[in-house]
Amino acid sequence: MLLTGMLLLSILLRRLLQGVKQQWRKRVLNRWRPLLMASLYEHPESLPQLSRFDLPDFLALWNHLHASLGNEARGSLNRVAGALRVPAAASLMLRQRSFERRLLAVRTAGNLRLATAWDALCALLESDSAGMSLAAAQALVRIDAPRAGQLLIPHLIGRDDWPAQRVTEILREAEAEQVTELLVKAVTGASPERTPRLIRYLMEFAPAEAAPIIARQLASPVDDGLLKVSLQALNDGNELESVRLLCRHANWHVRVHAVTALGRLGTHDDNTLLTGMLGDSQWWVRYRAARALSLLPGMTVGELLRIKDMQTDRYARDMLHQVMAELDLQAGLKHV
């Protein structure tokens, strides 16, 4: 009974505390949102004092507006933040124990381009938390993009927990020419298990620089993982001969990506090779070969039917039948 009573009391206190926090947040937003919105049009002559108790909720609102508005409006928000001594407060928050407050301070430092926070942000770049380290990376890029680029690329190699989409967003804020140069150097010296990730980033920023690297991987393969990524990224018809050879690779995962690349880049003459792949021992290879056949330039429904009727392998016929049914369904849905 005593334990049950203590548990109920704990739940009640937690709910009461949550209610108090919500009311406090509402009061802060009601006080500061109109002032911040008004500052976008005219810098206020005077501002109320920002208490340390209101600071976290104020910064959450300020950063939200910063992310939602254009450059001119951000300048107005930064002037208000300066008048309220937010830069000094954010610098202190970077060293607090609370994870949420430090994360809020990191975002604030980046949006303010707070150069004095550089060392603290570099330390947080090493955080075990992917969210914290990525936020620190973005803040560093916003403060000094050329200097930050030198720091970020080594982390791209070692941080498997950084989502590729977030990394791409951050790199887009850096200087494209510098990022490309650093990525090319990183790809050249990276281990086989790290290279695929870097090739994907390089394709995002500089497909022309990525092309010769991909060509080398296809011509002299050293790792199946690299081959798969290179085939996925390939967008150059000059490498078709290498792709055709890889359709016979011992690893069926590589064969899947090779026939898919043929469907994307191949010529009508590749129909013979792809027709042969319909008899592959792996279902996914047969399926991708059938899809690739349907995508070849000049391929018609009549020719697909002819190829299907010529097959003596039941699995090859069934696969072409399935893909043609999917194409019919897709065509029907487009007209709904």
Side-chain angles (χ1 to χ4, degrees):
M1 289 292 292
L2 180 60
L3 287 175
T4 303
M6 291 178 65
L7 180 60
L8 289 173
L9 180 61
S10 173
I11 293 172
L12 179 61
L13 289 174
R14 192 176 303 162
R15 288 184 177 177
L16 285 172
L17 181 60
Q18 186 177 12
V20 170
K21 286 182 177 179
Q22 288 176 348
Q23 287 299 316
W24 190 282
R25 184 179 297 112
K26 184 177 180 180
R27 184 188 65 80
V28 172
L29 295 181
N30 288 340
R31 183 184 193 189
W32 286 103
R33 184 185 283 116
L35 291 171
L36 289 176
M37 295 305 295
S39 73
L40 302 180
Y41 305 99
E42 184 178 2
H43 187 67
E45 294 182 2
S46 62
L47 289 165
Q49 185 177 0
L50 177 61
S51 76
R52 63 187 181 91
F53 301 106
D54 292 352
L55 184 63
D57 292 321
F58 170 85
L59 289 182
L61 171 63
W62 184 88
N63 280 288
H64 172 73
L65 292 175
H66 213 282
S68 307
L69 301 171
N71 289 333
E72 186 176 347
R74 290 170 185 165
S76 299
L77 290 173
N78 286 0
R79 285 191 291 273
V80 170
L84 293 170
R85 299 181 181 178
V86 167
S91 295
L92 290 174
M93 283 180 69
L94 283 171
R95 293 166 175 81
Q96 291 187 0
R97 289 188 176 184
S98 167
F99 179 90
E100 290 77 12
R101 290 198 173 200
R102 275 186 293 142
L103 187 59
L104 193 56
V106 167
R107 291 171 178 159
T108 304
N111 287 331
L112 285 171
R113 290 172 167 76
L114 195 59
T116 55
W118 185 269
D119 290 341
L121 292 170
C122 286
L124 291 172
L125 191 61
E126 307 293 337
S127 171
D128 291 336
S129 163
M132 180 67 78
S133 57
L134 274 169
Q138 187 166 47
L140 288 167
V141 167
R142 289 177 176 176
I143 293 170
D144 189 339
R147 188 179 174 193
Q150 300 284 348
L151 294 172
L152 294 190
I153 300 303
H155 282 79
L156 292 186
I157 299 173
R159 296 291 301 236
D160 293 329
D161 58 341
W162 281 8
Q165 184 175 353
R166 283 282 288 121
V167 171
T168 301
E169 291 171 2
I170 292 170
L171 290 178
R172 288 195 187 284
E173 295 188 35
E175 292 186 4
E177 186 175 341
Q178 183 203 33
V179 168
T180 299
E181 181 182 345
L182 291 171
L183 281 174
V184 169
K185 290 181 180 178
V187 169
T188 304
S191 61
E193 61 270 16
R194 302 294 185 188
T195 305
R197 185 179 179 90
L198 293 171
I199 287 178
R200 289 192 182 99
Y201 292 136
L202 189 57
M203 279 297 299
E204 286 283 339
F205 289 92
E209 280 75 9
I213 296 173
I214 291 173
R216 286 197 299 272
Q217 297 298 333
L218 296 178
S220 304
V222 295
D223 180 82
D224 289 352
L226 278 176
L227 271 180
K228 289 186 286 184
V229 171
S230 298
L231 286 166
Q232 286 175 324
L234 184 65
N235 197 29
D236 184 358
N238 293 326
E239 304 303 323
L240 272 174
E241 199 53 47
S242 295
V243 176
R244 290 169 183 138
L245 291 173
L246 289 171
C247 286
R248 302 299 183 187
H249 196 277
N251 187 327
W252 71 268
H253 295 279
V254 174
R255 297 200 301 275
V256 164
H257 291 290
V259 296
T260 302
L262 268 190
R264 189 171 66 249
L265 303 170
T267 68
H268 191 78
D269 291 339
D270 288 309
N271 75 84
T272 302
L273 173 58
L274 289 172
T275 299
M277 300 301 294
L278 293 172
D280 194 275
S281 60
Q282 291 292 330
W283 187 92
W284 276 109
V285 178
R286 297 197 300 272
Y287 177 73
R288 290 299 178 186
R291 294 288 296 190
L293 264 175
S294 71
L295 295 172
L296 289 179
M299 183 59 66
T300 64
V301 173
E303 189 167 0
L304 283 175
L305 284 170
R306 182 182 62 79
I307 293 172
K308 187 185 77 166
D309 292 340
M310 289 174 58
Q311 301 307 305
T312 56
D313 186 328
R314 176 171 63 88
Y315 295 109
R317 286 198 308 273
D318 289 347
M319 188 56 71
L320 271 175
H321 180 78
Q322 175 180 330
V323 167
M324 292 179 71
E326 290 176 1
L327 294 174
D328 286 342
L329 178 60
Q330 290 171 5
L333 289 174
K334 288 179 181 178
H335 292 89
V336 172

